[in-house]
Amino acid sequence: SFINKRIVCEGAASCEFPAVNSAFEPEKQRRYIWTNALSDPSGEWLDGIQKIDCQLELASTVKTFGPGTFAGPPIFVPRQSTGMDTDDEQNGYIITAVYVSKEHRSDFVVLDASSLELLCRIELTQNLPFGFHGEYLADYVS
């Protein structure tokens, strides 16, 4: 059931598909969310990833991946425990697929969840089907 509604950050970009660190203290309210965001308010397609601090009501700049690229929904992957910073909700990685429209192919991208720094970009030779709400439906025809 619906509990309540509130704006978590006035400065956040238009966005969808929020991701959280679901392994971090699951019984508590999340401080951080990562979203599939629109870098340009006049744009038509979600093209980046944004981190939002719900406690301080701060939003990062939307991380984009070059002209003509469109990011998919973010997925949070917790960093493997090293005994350090295990109590840090943002200690992990954001992974996403990025469609490179000018070349009709996709990249697989790994970002540092804390800073959105690009850690790895794997150029694929083919495109991954652009998902609908994070799901690829193999036999769906519109």
Side-chain angles (χ1 to χ4, degrees), residues 4-90:
N4 64 21
K5 176 182 174 181
R6 72 178 179 98
I7 296 173
V8 296
C9 181
E10 289 286 347
S14 295
C15 62
E16 289 189 347
F17 317 123
V20 298
N21 179 351
S22 59
F24 182 79
E25 299 183 7
E27 69 283 353
K28 292 188 177 180
Q29 183 175 357
R30 300 294 186 262
R31 176 174 178 174
Y32 301 104
I33 57 174
W34 294 264
T35 64
N36 194 196
L38 193 63
S39 67
D40 178 352
S42 66
E44 296 180 5
W45 294 93
L46 300 170
D47 61 345
I49 303 294
Q50 185 173 53
K51 176 184 167 189
I52 299 170
D53 182 329
C54 299
Q55 187 177 54
L56 297 179
E57 298 184 13
L58 296 174
S60 72
T61 301
V62 176
K63 174 73 172 181
T64 57
F65 305 97
T69 61
F70 305 96
I75 299 169
F76 185 93
V77 178
R79 193 177 312 265
Q80 195 170 25
S81 179
T82 60
M84 298 169 39
D85 295 326
T86 55
D87 62 343
D88 187 356
E89 181 182 351
Q90 59 186 333

Side-chain angles (χ1 to χ4, degrees), residues 122-141:
I122 301 169
E123 295 181 2
L124 305 177
T125 57
Q126 298 181 353
N127 75 303
L128 299 174
F130 210 56
F132 177 71
H133 287 237
E135 298 295 328
Y136 171 64
L137 306 173
D139 296 323
Y140 180 79
V141 178

